[in-house]
Amino acid sequence: MEHNGIQFNLIAGTLTANGKEIELTKTELKIMYYLFKHTGEIVPRIDLVEYLWDNEIHIDDNTLSVNMNRLRKKLEDIGLHDFIHTKKGLGYLLCLKTI
C-alpha cells in the first residue's frame, strides 16, 4: 500500500519513507493497515479499538493512546512528523501531504 510516497508493506511489517525503513509491531501494523485502508476518512477511536482488540473488556481508551504515541515516535524517526493527525473528539486521519 502507498500513500503520498509512503510505502506500507503489510507482509514484511515495514513502513518506508525518505529512504528509511521502520519495522512495526503487530499492533502498529494493524493501526497502519486500518488507517491506510481508510485513507481520506477520519477513523473514530472506537472503530480502531474494536478492530484492534475485538471488544476485549480489559482494553481501555488509554491503551490506544499509548500505541499511537509509540507509532508516532517511530514515524518521526524516519521524518514523518504529523503523518497521523488527531481530529479532536473525532478520531485519526492520515495526512494528505508529506513534507
Side-chain angles (χ1 to χ4, degrees):
M1 300 176 116
E2 186 171 332
H3 176 68
N4 288 335
I6 312 304
Q7 293 83 37
F8 172 58
N9 187 328
L10 185 61
I11 295 169
T14 61
L15 192 113
T16 306
N18 305 317
K20 299 176 184 173
E21 182 177 273
I22 54 172
E23 290 186 20
L24 303 172
T25 66
K26 178 182 171 184
T27 301
E28 292 165 348
L29 277 171
K30 289 178 81 173
I31 291 169
M32 290 308 303
Y33 175 77
Y34 202 80
L35 292 174
F36 266 80
K37 186 175 160 186
H38 294 92
T39 297
E41 302 172 29
I42 296 172
V43 175
R45 287 178 62 88
I46 189 67
D47 290 0
L48 208 44
V49 168
E50 288 174 359
Y51 173 73
L52 293 169
W53 295 291
D54 197 28
N55 292 323
E56 290 183 36
I57 297 169
H58 68 278
I59 298 299
D60 66 18
D61 194 55
N62 189 51
T63 304
L64 178 58
S65 296
V66 169
N67 280 279
M68 290 302 286
N69 286 335
R70 288 180 184 156
L71 178 56
R72 283 182 167 139
K73 172 66 176 118
K74 283 186 177 182
L75 294 171
E76 287 174 5
D77 288 347
I78 60 171
L80 295 178
H81 303 277
D82 298 321
F83 184 59
I84 300 172
H85 289 278
T86 299
K87 295 293 187 179
K88 193 165 180 107
L90 298 174
Y92 300 103
L93 175 71
L94 288 184
C95 75
L96 298 177
K97 295 183 180 181
T98 57
I99 299 173

